[in-house]
Amino acid sequence: MAPQSKLSLGIKRASRSHTYHRRGLWAIKAKHGGAFPKAEKPAAAAEPKFYPADDVKPRAPSTRKPNPTKLRSSVTPGTVLILLAGRFMGKRVVFLKQLKSGLLLITGPFKINGVPIRRVNQAYVMATSTKVDISSVNLDKFDDKYFARAKRIKAKKTERELFETEKEATKNLPDFKKDDQKVIDAELVKAIEAVPDLKTYLGARFSLRDGDKPHEMTF
Amino acid sequence: MPFKRFVEIGRVALVNYGKDYGRLVVIVDVVDQNRALIDAPDMVRCQINFKRLSLTDIKIDIKRVPKKTTLIKAMEDADVKSKWENSSWGKKLIVQKRRASLNDFDRFKVMLARIKRGGAIRQELAKLKKAVA
């Protein structure tokens, strides 16, 4: 309805009947058979048993999707990395690709320095500027599920066996993993042998010697 | 015991402190007791304290505060670059820079080369010792 004019605060210019006509209530009544349509009251909700003390807005769930770890710019496929911790500390290995979990997929190659295809965290790795060509290697079958632990079936123990020293089933590497290693290494070793001294370099461990200043060395 | 390297116009010096550390410059004027005006082909002419300069043996023939092009031509005529790089001081600096820029693989190759050289020397020495005995 168009705005109502007023003479003063609280005093309208138009009378009740005039306003009734302006609002068109007569037309609505005629449309609905003489009576103004009453809106149905919504069913009253049951009184909640519990009213929280504070009026707090419920938090909306986060729509943020986690990304894999950001790779350092010095770490690219084919880079030679130096492992800084763990069983293979000091070994120089070849970086293959980053997995979806953020971990780095690396290999020795196994024939050269005994490091198998393995996952490693970027934090425990130092990148060198030496690169190996890995374009001929197919890495599609390697993902985090490949490295998941095999589930052990717990056999029921008799009382006697409980007191015997447990003969753990020797953890044998399944044959398909050994074959995968051989396939990857065949390509890589060819690329590595093309560069003089690179094979011995990858076979040697890294260490700091007297007089080395790591903050002044370029890797 | 007399001095051989003098602060004079045309003396080539090495900056040993500050933003231009390691740069070869030419003294083109003397400001006062402590400062000189220096210039080099790839920098803006500026003043510097003598304490920040290490004088070299090289001297070029220029007049006081020459134009940049005159300076460059005088440096080329005197062949400053090759004189510097052939001097033992200049050679040492080049080797230092090269060693600092080695990457991990290069350092490994240097180690292999040193072992090989040491082995060759020891072999020769053993031969010589055997010849004498």
Side-chain angles (χ1 to χ4, degrees):
Chain A
M1 191 182 86
Q4 302 167 337
S5 54
K6 50 186 184 185
L7 295 176
S8 165
L9 184 67
I11 305 171
K12 297 195 202 103
R13 173 71 185 79
S15 64
R16 268 182 79 98
S17 51
H18 188 77
T19 320
Y20 175 85
H21 181 77
R22 273 189 81 199
R23 280 184 72 183
L25 298 177
W26 50 272
I28 299 172
K29 278 187 179 169
K31 203 163 162 200
H32 294 268
F36 197 83
K38 280 211 173 96
E40 272 181 40
K41 278 218 174 111
E47 294 278 330
K49 261 195 284 186
F50 171 73
Y51 287 99
D54 303 313
D55 286 324
V56 208
K57 250 201 269 186
R59 294 223 72 192
S62 167
T63 51
R64 185 179 168 274
K65 285 190 201 69
N67 287 321
T69 331
K70 205 157 174 210
L71 266 191
R72 268 180 258 147
S73 60
S74 53
V75 176
T76 61
T79 312
V80 172
L81 307 173
I82 299 175
L83 299 180
L84 298 172
R87 183 168 165 210
F88 301 107
M89 180 159 56
K91 292 267 193 202
R92 293 166 171 126
V93 296
V94 177
F95 168 61
L96 298 174
K97 73 170 186 183
Q98 186 182 29
L99 301 170
K100 217 155 32 119
S101 63
L103 298 172
L104 311 181
L105 184 72
I106 56 157
T107 180
F110 187 71
K111 253 193 179 290
I112 296 180
N113 55 19
V115 179
I117 302 175
R118 208 171 196 261
R119 294 184 299 174
V120 106
N121 189 309
Q122 199 194 181
Y124 301 106
V125 135
M126 190 158 65
T128 66
S129 48
T130 316
K131 309 238 190 275
V132 175
D133 180 22
I134 64 164
S135 50
S136 60
V137 178
N138 186 347
L139 300 166
D140 289 336
K141 57 154 63 168
F142 297 106
D143 60 352
D144 290 300
K145 274 201 276 286
Y146 183 94
F147 296 98
R149 269 198 222 279
K151 293 231 184 277
R152 277 196 300 163
I153 313 154
K154 280 200 162 160
K156 289 251 174 217
K157 296 185 209 167
T158 61
E159 211 182 275
R160 192 171 64 93
E161 282 173 8
L162 264 176
F163 287 100
E164 276 182 1
T165 48
E166 230 185 70
K167 278 185 240 156
E168 293 260 332
T170 49
K171 295 177 192 140
N172 265 322
L173 200 60
D175 273 335
F176 77 91
K177 287 205 176 174
K178 294 188 190 165
D179 292 334
D180 289 339
Q181 180 80 57
K182 288 203 189 98
V183 166
I184 300 271
D185 283 359
E187 292 297 325
L188 274 181
V189 171
K190 246 192 283 171
I192 288 168
E193 283 177 342
V195 182
D197 289 332
L198 190 57
K199 197 164 174 207
T200 24
Y201 173 64
L202 289 177
R205 280 206 207 224
F206 171 82
S207 70
L208 289 175
R209 311 261 158 81
D210 264 351
D212 280 350
K213 299 183 192 108
H215 65 292
E216 285 178 358
M217 291 156 75
T218 57
F219 288 95
Chain B
M1 270 320 290
F3 290 99
K4 291 214 197 73
R5 298 175 187 167
F6 298 101
V7 169
E8 51 197 328
I9 293 173
R11 174 66 57 185
V12 173
L14 190 71
V15 177
N16 61 29
Y17 184 95
K19 189 173 61 108
D20 294 312
Y21 179 85
R23 205 197 273 271
L24 260 192
V25 294
V26 178
I27 296 177
V28 296
D29 199 0
V30 171
V31 175
D32 61 14
Q33 190 193 348
N34 295 316
R35 287 178 300 155
L37 197 63
I38 55 165
D39 203 355
D42 56 346
M43 72 182 254
V44 175
R45 192 195 302 148
C46 65
Q47 55 89 8
I48 192 173
N49 192 313
F50 289 124
K51 292 186 181 177
R52 295 193 175 193
L53 291 177
S54 300
L55 303 180
T56 69
D57 286 332
I58 308 170
K59 181 180 180 316
I60 66 175
D61 190 16
I62 50 168
K63 295 228 172 9
R64 195 179 71 88
V65 193
K67 278 212 189 52
K68 198 69 146 209
T69 44
T70 323
L71 176 71
I72 293 174
K73 185 162 184 305
M75 286 182 88
E76 276 175 20
D77 289 342
D79 211 6
V80 170
K81 190 160 191 260
S82 68
K83 272 201 205 139
W84 175 245
E85 283 170 4
N86 291 328
S87 70
S88 53
W89 184 359
K91 277 193 246 176
K92 261 190 282 174
L93 284 192
I94 290 170
V95 169
Q96 276 175 15
K97 274 205 190 87
R98 179 79 186 101
R99 287 212 180 121
S101 71
L102 289 178
N103 84 27
D104 191 44
F105 187 27
D106 291 334
R107 263 174 265 129
F108 182 80
K109 286 190 270 192
V110 165
M111 178 193 60
L112 290 183
R114 299 184 81 216
I115 292 172
K116 199 165 179 194
R117 182 183 66 173
I121 291 173
R122 245 169 268 139
Q123 255 187 340
E124 279 304 313
L125 185 62
K127 270 193 232 159
L128 289 173
K129 278 200 188 153
K130 207 161 165 210
V132 168

